[in-house]
Amino acid sequence: TSTTCGISSDSGRRQTWLDQLWTGFSGLLWGNQDEVERQEARVVGGSEIPIAEAPFMVYVESEIINNKFNCSGVIISNQYILTAARCVRIIYTYGYNTTVILNATLVTVWVGSATNKGGTSIVADSWKTNTKFETVTNWEPIALIHLPTPLTFSESIQPICYPTTDDLHAVSGCSKNEYGWGATDWTGNVFSPKLKKLSDITIQTENTCRVTDDMRFFCVTANANNTGACFHGDFGGPFVVRYGGRAFVIGVFSGSVDLYCGSGGPAIYMRASNFADWVKSVVKP
């Protein structure tokens, strides 16, 4: 979607246990307590990061039937934000055949800050969802939010790269992260206003997480206890792989196998490459 995309300050270098030990030790020795707390912070879990490390991240707030819903999203062009469909509309099913779709009446995004409502707020002028996978039970497709005026890119505001194809087995060896402003505890009730990422994660195959045999999804498991993406606030957040020094949105967070956040159940991501043709048709150059 852009000739220059996926630029950030993150080198993608994976921190080893020796790095973590030294960071914690030096923090105690020289009083850098903030650094120690970042290492201990367990997205549920994860560590706080500056926006320059993920300048593609966007905080999303929508209003549906007078209720506010908070989500995460990413910039994919100077006027489009990618997020989960349920961030802009909700589907209710009653009985056997009655389905009601409730659409958002107002969508606001905040860009350029690691604080959820910091930076610049922008009221979207339109949004749309991909209807190709509407019949999938429980797991819904992606949405694109359109901004009325183009963004001005800077160190804190950058588009992420959008893949037209991928190989989940190949990218599993790359630097990969979950990002979001979601709840930070298993109950889904405690939130941090700061952007967080989780790096200690593993991609699973569809059969392994037993969600579906369909390649529309993939699952991600947090390797540490009490960590992982949370459906409270992390919906629409990206699964990001860095390759060749660029950040790619490989998946969009759409749900979790387990009810409780960070309980160890796999996080379910819509596979971004499956929507590439639709995204290109909407986000025209």
Side-chain angles (χ1 to χ4, degrees):
T1 59
S2 172
T3 54
T4 57
C5 62
I7 299 172
S8 69
S9 64
D10 186 5
S11 65
R13 184 179 69 87
R14 186 171 297 173
Q15 191 178 51
T16 66
W17 69 268
L18 187 60
D19 294 327
Q20 295 173 356
L21 180 63
W22 169 250
T23 300
F25 174 74
S26 61
L28 291 173
L29 186 62
W30 289 296
N32 189 0
Q33 187 61 33
D34 289 341
E35 190 65 35
V36 177
E37 290 177 355
R38 279 197 294 271
Q39 294 302 318
E40 291 300 321
R42 281 288 150 190
V43 164
V44 176
S47 55
E48 293 182 5
I49 61 169
I51 193 60
E53 186 173 328
F56 42 79
M57 288 299 299
V58 172
Y59 186 73
V60 180
E61 182 180 87
S62 61
E63 292 188 16
I64 305 176
I65 55 171
N66 298 320
N67 291 312
K68 292 185 177 181
F69 296 85
N70 301 323
C71 289
S72 301
V74 289
I75 300 168
I76 60 171
S77 79
N78 61 2
Q79 280 189 276
Y80 278 95
I81 306 300
L82 171 70
T83 189
R86 66 180 62 191
C87 295
V88 296
R89 64 102 171 89
I90 297 174
I91 296 179
Y92 283 111
T93 300
Y94 301 94
Y96 293 100
N97 300 313
T98 304
T99 299
V100 177
I101 299 178
L102 302 174
N103 293 301
T105 55
L106 178 67
V107 176
T108 306
V109 302
W110 282 262
V111 301
S113 176
T115 302
N116 54 15
K117 289 189 176 181
T120 302
S121 65
I122 305 170
V123 176
D125 60 358
S126 65
W127 46 90
K128 60 177 61 181
T129 61
N130 180 284
T131 58
K132 182 179 180 181
F133 303 142
E134 283 286 272
T135 57
V136 176
T137 303
N138 295 328
W139 318 117
E140 303 179 40
I142 64 172
L144 290 175
I145 299 171
H146 184 263
L147 307 180
T149 57
L151 295 170
T152 299
F153 295 145
S154 64
E155 184 183 43
S156 59
I157 301 175
Q158 286 287 328
I160 197 168
C161 298
Y162 196 106
T164 57
T165 186
D166 61 52
D167 183 332
L168 295 180
H169 295 287
V171 301
S172 63
C174 298
S175 169
K176 49 192 178 294
N177 300 282
E178 292 176 314
Y179 293 94
W181 281 278
T184 57
D185 79 325
W186 67 275
T187 67
N189 295 319
V190 180
F191 291 82
S192 169
K194 299 297 184 180
L195 177 63
K196 288 193 173 186
K197 76 170 181 179
L198 186 65
S199 303
D200 191 13
I201 48 182
T202 300
I203 297 177
Q204 293 188 345
T205 64
E206 290 76 14
N207 287 333
T208 302
C209 66
R210 290 187 171 88
V211 177
T212 174
D213 293 333
D214 201 309
M215 293 300 286
R216 291 173 289 190
F217 304 96
F218 66 92
C219 289
V220 175
T221 299
N223 298 329
N225 292 331
N226 301 318
T227 63
C230 181
F231 47 87
H232 294 288
D234 285 329
F235 267 133
F239 181 84
V240 176
V241 167
R242 281 183 167 80
Y243 176 77
R246 298 292 179 92
F248 289 81
V249 53
I250 301 299
V252 178
F253 181 53
S254 297
S256 179
V257 173
D258 289 343
L259 176 63
Y260 296 107
C261 303
S263 60
I268 303 168
Y269 284 84
M270 295 296 294
R271 196 169 178 177
S273 62
N274 280 288
F275 298 93
D277 290 341
W278 179 73
V279 169
K280 285 193 293 183
S281 71
V282 176
V283 187
K284 298 176 182 178

